[in-house]
Amino acid sequence: MGVLYKLYFYFGVRFFSCMISLMDCIIWNCQGAASKEFNRTLKDMLKFYKPGILGLLEPKVSGAQADSLCNQWGFENWVRVEAFGFSGGIWVFWKETLQISVIKTHPQFIHLRVQSNGINSWLLTVVYGSPNFNLRKLLWMDLNSEIKDNLDPWMVVGDFNSVVSLEEVSSQAQFNFNRCKGFRDWIFDNGLIDMGFVGSILTWSRGSHGQLFKGARLDRAMCNGAWRELFDEASLLHLPKNRSDHAPILVRIDSMNGSHKDSISSFRFQAAWLTHPEFHNLIQDNWDSGDTITNNNTRIASVLSAWNSNTFGNIFRRKRRLWARLGGVQE
């Protein structure tokens, strides 16, 4: 059993050290962070996409309960704007490889400066726009005050609780030009660029079908020209909805994405393998006590990768496939 735990430690640390440098962001209006189902869903999402920054909106918990939750998700640093009663709240987490300083906390946004090795610093604002129209008007004013005369690269992302056009709602009855005019003017005045998206256009929806169904693009990411020049390949994905009326949105910033990211994480020791009756014999048959640890680790990694695909079954690949199918159905 000593060999097994050495393998677990070696490959677990190796995998983790490769992945913590990413700057990708997941922002999600989770509408409550206290349930076991949410916790399980979030942990799966973090394993799949491995963001360096996580923003949770409307967690609906605070105080000691929030402290307990924040320690569970593998981030070394975080800042919180506490929920007021059972509404609002903004939590932002980040990995220790990112140097992030908090510029301002506000009931409707957290304003940050992000620094990573070899990249110019940039500004990140995570927004939760109030459902109350009058409070939301104050948001545009307070943001303008915060970023007045800003020339730094800047991305603003979150749930704005507003749309910009009729195309962003599921029915004409939901659209009110006067209620979204302040949002449109604020975008124009600040020269912000909509980052577009891949996935379903409606990031929020309620009801199943027909007249009961309502949906809108309430969640988005925008940036100024300087940020787009700095990260010219950045993209936005609307992830499948799960455990919330809102879809999580994934901002892919880091250039290490796609197949290269997969190649880095191609092997990881899974504790669930220990439950399989063939596993211990597989290790014993392929471990050569006369060989070096490095050669044994390389050989065992290759054997376990093939065994995982052909015998045990890749749990995370199956979960990814289910998430992709769910996303396709929603789109």
Side-chain angles (χ1 to χ4, degrees):
M1 287 298 292
V3 169
L4 296 180
Y5 288 110
K6 286 179 182 177
L7 283 171
Y8 182 81
F9 176 80
Y10 174 80
F11 287 117
V13 171
R14 175 175 170 231
F15 174 85
F16 184 76
S17 64
C18 286
M19 298 308 300
I20 58 178
S21 63
L22 300 181
M23 288 197 299
D24 293 353
C25 307
I26 287 180
I27 309 296
W28 187 17
N29 184 331
C30 59
Q31 297 188 325
S35 72
K36 292 182 179 179
E37 292 80 7
F38 163 78
N39 207 340
R40 187 162 51 243
T41 299
L42 178 62
K43 286 181 177 178
D44 278 344
M45 193 184 307
L46 297 177
K47 285 179 182 177
F48 295 162
Y49 301 108
K50 303 175 181 64
I53 300 171
L54 170 68
L56 296 178
L57 313 176
E58 281 203 282
K60 298 184 178 179
V61 290
S62 58
Q65 185 180 17
D67 290 337
S68 176
L69 291 169
C70 290
N71 282 306
Q72 297 181 27
W73 299 321
F75 291 88
E76 294 77 21
N77 304 287
W78 63 79
V79 59
R80 299 200 312 252
V81 171
E82 298 286 24
F84 183 75
F86 290 100
S87 63
I90 306 171
W91 299 355
V92 180
F93 305 79
W94 61 92
K95 295 292 187 180
E96 63 181 356
T97 49
L98 295 173
Q99 293 82 53
I100 292 184
S101 56
V102 179
I103 300 173
K104 184 178 181 64
T105 59
H106 181 279
Q108 297 187 75
F109 66 85
I110 294 178
H111 192 46
L112 307 162
R113 181 171 292 277
V114 182
Q115 177 69 61
S116 183
N117 292 335
I119 298 176
N120 293 336
S121 70
W122 51 280
L123 301 176
L124 169 65
T125 307
V126 179
V127 170
Y128 172 65
S130 173
N132 181 286
F133 177 65
N134 291 321
L135 290 177
R136 206 161 59 246
K137 286 197 297 184
L138 293 177
L139 168 62
W140 316 136
M141 295 171 57
D142 292 343
L143 278 172
N144 280 340
S145 175
E146 190 61 39
I147 51 87
K148 183 180 180 182
D149 300 324
N150 170 60
L151 298 177
D152 289 336
W154 177 42
M155 179 176 71
V156 54
V157 57
D159 172 11
F160 293 86
N161 259 308
S162 187
V163 299
V164 301
S165 68
L166 180 59
E167 288 72 26
E168 294 184 344
V169 295
S170 59
S171 68
Q172 187 171 353
Q174 291 179 253
F175 183 72
N176 184 315
F177 180 85
N178 291 328
R179 291 183 69 84
C180 72
K181 185 178 183 301
F183 184 38
R184 291 162 57 103
D185 290 345
W186 177 77
I187 294 171
F188 180 82
D189 291 342
N190 287 282
L192 293 175
I193 303 165
D194 191 295
M195 290 180 58
F197 61 90
V198 174
S200 171
I201 187 172
L202 306 178
T203 64
W204 168 85
S205 62
R206 185 169 295 168
S208 56
H209 60 277
Q211 294 182 343
L212 297 177
F213 179 80
K214 294 181 179 179
R217 186 190 177 199
L218 302 182
D219 311 83
R220 67 179 71 229
M222 297 174 288
C223 61
N224 62 10
W227 194 93
R228 180 45 93 182
E229 289 181 13
L230 185 62
F231 301 107
D232 59 341
E233 295 185 1
S235 60
L236 178 68
L237 281 71
H238 293 174
L239 303 179
K241 285 198 296 107
N242 194 354
R243 305 295 175 187
S244 171
D245 289 342
H246 287 258
I249 60 176
L250 168 64
V251 183
R252 284 212 157 129
I253 297 175
D254 202 287
S255 59
M256 288 169 51
N257 54 29
S259 59
H260 184 50
K261 187 184 291 185
D262 292 339
S263 68
I264 290 177
S265 60
S266 56
F267 181 81
R268 186 185 185 187
F269 191 99
Q270 303 297 337
W273 291 341
L274 296 168
T275 65
H276 197 283
E278 296 180 11
F279 180 75
H280 294 80
N281 290 334
L282 183 71
I283 297 299
Q284 291 174 357
D285 292 343
N286 288 278
W287 186 273
D288 183 356
S289 59
D291 204 350
T292 66
I293 291 178
T294 300
N295 289 342
N296 272 307
N297 282 334
T298 302
R299 181 170 54 257
I300 292 294
S302 177
V303 169
L304 287 176
S305 294
W307 177 78
N308 185 51
S309 296
N310 301 326
T311 303
F312 187 83
N314 191 311
I315 294 173
F316 295 115
R317 186 179 299 129
R318 284 151 56 188
K319 284 187 175 182
R320 285 192 186 96
R321 190 176 298 120
L322 288 172
W323 275 80
R325 289 176 63 187
L326 180 60
V329 168
Q330 291 177 3
E331 186 171 356

